[in-house]
């Protein structure tokens, strides 16, 4: 699929193809349909946002792309190869920062490199990513000494130290206050522009999706199906009061079944 997008480091990042994917979980002998025949392609370096009702299967789609689940039907591919399991090229950032409380910021960021035996070789990368997320002065702080936004930046640094080609973001700013959220959105955009990776963001926030993504995909109630897709052509930095974005916001809210004057 040819997709035009303005920024991101072109070509850096993987192509993600979700092909006719359905997924069911087994719960107490019953089978729960969670994803229903979803087909979706992300070009290398593209930023796509997923919107959908609570419980519809958004996190499950990210887990499938991360290789943490295998689809019940269909295939998920990176650069054409079937994803068979987790890989440090594809990193999932959770809604809660989930830092290890007994390790400092630096220690938390180091975990992925340690697990892969790359700490010695890539040690300098830790300082680079701490700088990228503006936490270099807080490297020796423990998680309980951080604000919510700083903890989320540490979680992003922990992902970025692996130089992911696909960043899967599961409502990464959902628990932050609105001002911190706005700042973090800009920081994420800077990282995407400067570092270069393919990004798939789950969010409940229509404005966040429109400010960040090249394309916004709306999912149905569980089991998740794609009900709408919109391309967001506006170049970055985008203005929240851009009339084109306001019109898209109204369309997306209507698709989600919400009147835009609420
Ligand atoms: N490991 C699991 N085993 C069984 N059922 C699961 C499992 N993970 C999720 N589910 C079920 O799958 C459905 C979709 O869950 P999922 O976490 O993907 O939704 P979501 O769209 O991310 O929701 P939210 O917006 O609330 O985060 C839910 O009904 C949930 O109960
Ligand atoms: Mg979820």
């Amino acid at each position: 699929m040819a997709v035009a997008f303005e920024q991101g480091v072109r070509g850096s990042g993987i192509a993600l193809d979700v092909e006719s994917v359905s997924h069911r979980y087994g719960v107490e002998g019953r089978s729960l349909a969670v994803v229903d025949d979803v087909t979706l392609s992300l070009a290398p370096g593209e930023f796509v946002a997923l919107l959908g009702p609570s419980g519809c299967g958004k996190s499950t789609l990210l887990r499938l792309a991360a290789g943490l689940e295998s689809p019940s039907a269909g295939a998920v591919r990176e650069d054409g190869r079937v994803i068979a399991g987790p890989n440090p090229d594809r990193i999932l950032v959770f809604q809660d920062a989930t830092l290890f409380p007994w390790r400092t910021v630096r220690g938390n960021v180091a975990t992925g490199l340690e697990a892969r035996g790359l700490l010695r070789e890539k040690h300098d990368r830790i300082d680079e990513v701490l700088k990228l997320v503006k936490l270099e002065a807080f490297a020796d702080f423990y998680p309980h000494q951080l604000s919510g936004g700083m903890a989320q930046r540490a979680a992003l640094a922990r992902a970025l130290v692996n130089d992911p080609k696909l960043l899967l973001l599961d409502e990464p700013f959902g628990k932050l206050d609105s001002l911190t959220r706005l700042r973090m959105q800009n920081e994420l955009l800077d990282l995407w522009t400067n570092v270069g990776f393919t990004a798939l963001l789950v969010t409940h926030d229509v404005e966040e999706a429109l400010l960040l993504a090249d394309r916004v995909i709306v999912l149905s109630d569980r089991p998740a199906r794609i009900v709408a897709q919109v391309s967001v052509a506006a170049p970055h930095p985008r203005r929240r009061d851009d009339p084109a974005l306001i019109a898209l916001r109204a369309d997306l809210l209507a698709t989600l079944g919400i009147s835009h004057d609420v």
Side-chain angles (χ1 to χ4, degrees), residues 14-59:
I14 60 155
L16 178 72
D17 287 297
V18 175
E19 293 170 357
S20 308
V21 162
S22 296
H23 195 63
R24 308 177 79 89
Y25 288 113
V27 184
E28 292 181 1
R30 289 174 32 233
S31 168
L32 186 73
V34 177
V35 177
D36 181 21
D37 197 18
V38 167
T39 295
L40 163 67
S41 291
L42 273 68
E46 194 183 6
F47 197 135
V48 169
L50 292 177
L51 281 174
S54 182
C56 77
K58 302 181 295 296
S59 296

Side-chain angles (χ1 to χ4, degrees), residues 155-172:
L156 273 177
R158 194 173 53 176
L160 293 172
V161 80
N162 296 296
D163 294 314
K165 299 194 170 102
L166 173 66
L167 197 57
L168 301 158
L169 299 149
D170 198 352
E171 298 188 52

